[in-house]
Amino acid sequence: MNFWQKILAEKKMILALSPMDGVTDFPFRAINKKYGQADLIFTEFASVEGVCRSTSTKILNHFDFNDAQRPLVAQVFGKTPAFFKQAAVLLCELGVDGIDINMGCPAPTVANHGSGAAIIKNPELAKELIRVVQEGIAEWKNGLELKDCPDISPKTVMAVADKKKNFALPDIDRKKIPTVSVKTRIGFDHEEIDTWLPHLLGMRLVAISLHGRTLKQGYSGKADWSVIGRAAALIKKEDPSVVFLGNGDVTDYEEAMEKVKQYNLDGVLIGRASFGQPFIFLPKAEREKALAEKNIFKIALEHAKLFEATYPESEGYKFLPMRKHLAWYTKGVEQAALIRSELVRSNNSLEVEAVLRKYKLI
Ligand SMILES: Cc1cc2nc3c(=O)[nH]c(=O)nc-3n(C[C@H](O)[C@H](O)[C@H](O)COP(=O)(O)O)c2cc1C
């Protein structure tokens, strides 16, 4: 039984933290797992071209995780089959639980290069990418070494070994291989699940996640859950072993549960509603208890400290990516605009603490 099936057997529904570039980094995932206990979490995506071609190993930080964050699915995007295969070997070596291929990103920096949601227009490439990731995993299982991958630099091999040590990740176990899944959208410029999804079925994917918007829609309008429901019926009919998750505009545990029941899904991914709100993954009674007993600003400070510890300035990371999280934590409090305006100028956790104390929030 893979971890998707295990969660389903235990909980009847999978509630996952959706992958979000620039958001679901190591500290955010750690806070989310600790206080929200999402069943499954995705990393932000990383480009396979970057993994194989970049002279810096900074891109590997996207995959940072520790055992507390399991089950952990690492997401990759790109368009070069050879790089997908080698990135899969690298992720096997790191010991992630799942590898997810992004076929849903609408950002011009991704889709205009033929990656992300643009792959919906190129189903043969979609199938090739799934195949090579599966091949990379199978070859790693049979003994392929990361250092023998032609486009993985010795520096990257060393960085992976360092990550395993720094995050106390278990030794390599070639019997434990990651699952392969795809996250996609309902179409390119119009809804086209009846022609798009059959290409993915029969590819031995363990799971598919579907965001109920087209590439053209970006994030505008509303996710179309009736299409997600039709996709669920199609998948259950054609390839019932595939775990199917819906995604788009869900705000909390109860809404996710409603969607699962109404549309016969295996689970739901929540993205934006998790901003500054780790408790939304908890059922209502637990959520209300957590909200009453825990001070969200203490959690914000813990997040800021963890961010600093994970990305010390010496590594070239600044406090900048943390600021948006601080702003999100102020949602709904009195004087939010004023507090936010100070928090988004903070440069370290000491400054964050000073602002929070000034407004008597901690
Ligand atoms: C800031 C941001 C970054 C995102 N990055 C990714 C990504 O790296 N990979 C991905 O598959 N989807 C990405 N998404 C899409 C989300 O995972 C999700 O599909 C989308 O936000 C809809 O779900 P929601 O309404 O629950 O937020 C991103 C969304 C946002 C807002």
Side-chain angles (χ1 to χ4, degrees):
M1 211 190 252
N2 62 49
F3 65 87
W4 303 81
Q5 293 160 335
K6 266 190 210 147
I7 302 170
L8 271 175
E10 260 172 49
K11 302 199 166 175
K12 310 279 179 254
M13 137 171 133
I14 299 172
L15 187 52
L17 171 64
S18 212
M20 286 182 287
D21 184 36
V23 179
T24 56
D25 57 9
F26 178 91
F28 180 83
R29 284 186 260 119
I31 292 292
N32 221 274
K33 193 73 182 180
K34 181 171 173 186
Y35 294 104
Q37 293 153 34
D39 297 319
L40 176 61
I41 52 185
F42 285 70
T43 65
E44 18 178 9
F45 63 16
S47 134
V48 295
E49 282 80 11
V51 168
C52 294
R53 279 277 161 86
S54 173
T55 50
S56 150
T57 57
K58 212 168 106 176
I59 192 161
L60 300 181
N61 293 354
H62 288 230
F63 302 137
D64 286 348
F65 74 105
N66 59 17
D67 281 343
Q69 297 186 6
R70 290 186 190 277
L72 187 280
V73 178
Q75 198 191 52
V76 282
F77 75 95
K79 62 174 179 188
T80 316
F83 295 160
F84 267 93
K85 182 170 175 177
Q86 295 170 75
V89 173
L90 183 146
L91 290 168
C92 286
E93 199 95 353
L94 271 177
V96 301
D97 300 296
I99 300 177
D100 190 80
I101 306 174
N102 180 297
M103 300 189 188
C105 181
T109 46
V110 173
N112 288 359
H113 297 279
S115 306
I119 295 175
I120 297 172
K121 277 253 192 254
N122 193 349
E124 289 314 311
L125 178 64
K127 288 187 265 194
E128 175 71 1
L129 298 183
I130 297 167
R131 250 191 312 266
V132 293
V133 167
Q134 290 165 338
E135 224 172 77
I137 294 171
E139 288 182 22
W140 178 82
K141 188 180 177 197
N142 290 329
L144 175 64
E145 300 274 349
L146 186 60
K147 67 176 170 47
D148 295 329
C149 292
D151 299 297
I152 300 283
S153 68
K155 202 167 139 190
T156 297
V157 175
M158 263 169 60
V160 168
D162 284 348
K163 297 256 178 226
K164 285 187 78 76
K165 208 163 65 205
N166 296 344
F167 289 94
L169 293 169
D171 290 341
I172 285 169
D173 175 359
R174 292 186 194 264
K175 286 192 292 296
K176 280 200 185 131
I177 56 166
T179 61
V180 180
S181 56
V182 163
K183 179 167 176 283
T184 186
R185 289 190 173 228
I186 57 175
F188 188 84
D189 50 13
H190 63 284
E191 181 271 293
E192 54 190 310
I193 56 156
D194 292 320
T195 47
W196 165 229
L197 291 183
H199 288 290
L200 301 179
L201 302 176
M203 291 302 299
R204 295 187 295 114
L205 285 174
V206 167
I208 295 177
S209 305
L210 188 67
H211 178 187
R213 290 183 175 87
T214 61
L215 169 145
K216 195 175 165 195
Q217 277 179 289
Y219 292 91
S220 65
K222 286 253 156 256
D224 191 336
W225 280 86
S226 66
V227 175
I228 294 175
R230 275 207 295 113
L234 175 82
I235 291 171
K236 296 293 167 217
K237 181 162 162 264
E238 300 293 328
D239 200 347
S241 69
V242 173
V243 173
F244 180 60
L245 280 69
N247 168 238
D249 309 331
V250 172
T251 54
D252 61 22
Y253 178 97
E254 279 68 31
E255 198 184 341
M257 190 128 96
E258 266 172 42
K259 298 284 194 229
V260 163
K261 281 193 188 139
Q262 186 176 352
Y263 298 108
N264 194 20
L265 313 172
D266 296 312
V268 163
L269 278 88
I270 297 186
R272 291 165 295 174
S274 69
F275 292 174
Q277 304 194 95
F279 305 137
I280 55 145
F281 293 90
L282 300 172
K284 192 164 184 228
E286 284 174 50
R287 189 166 70 238
E288 285 177 349
K289 188 165 180 276
L291 280 168
E293 289 175 359
K294 298 209 161 58
N295 178 345
I296 193 72
F297 292 103
K298 281 196 176 154
I299 295 176
L301 182 58
E302 182 183 349
H303 187 168
K305 285 182 176 167
L306 185 58
F307 183 88
E308 255 172 5
T310 312
Y311 305 124
E313 295 227 354
S314 57
E315 277 184 24
Y317 275 85
K318 299 274 182 278
F319 202 62
L320 203 78
M322 183 61 217
R323 291 177 175 173
K324 60 182 176 296
H325 294 285
L326 296 169
W328 290 331
Y329 283 116
T330 64
K331 226 183 293 177
V333 295
E334 247 176 79
Q335 292 186 292
L338 189 63
I339 300 163
R340 206 159 43 230
S341 72
E342 294 199 30
L343 284 175
V344 297
R345 279 182 279 138
S346 58
N347 292 303
N348 52 54
S349 64
L350 281 176
E351 289 181 20
V352 172
E353 188 166 358
V355 175
L356 296 176
R357 286 200 188 287
K358 177 176 160 190
Y359 289 98
K360 303 200 173 2
L361 294 168
I362 54 170

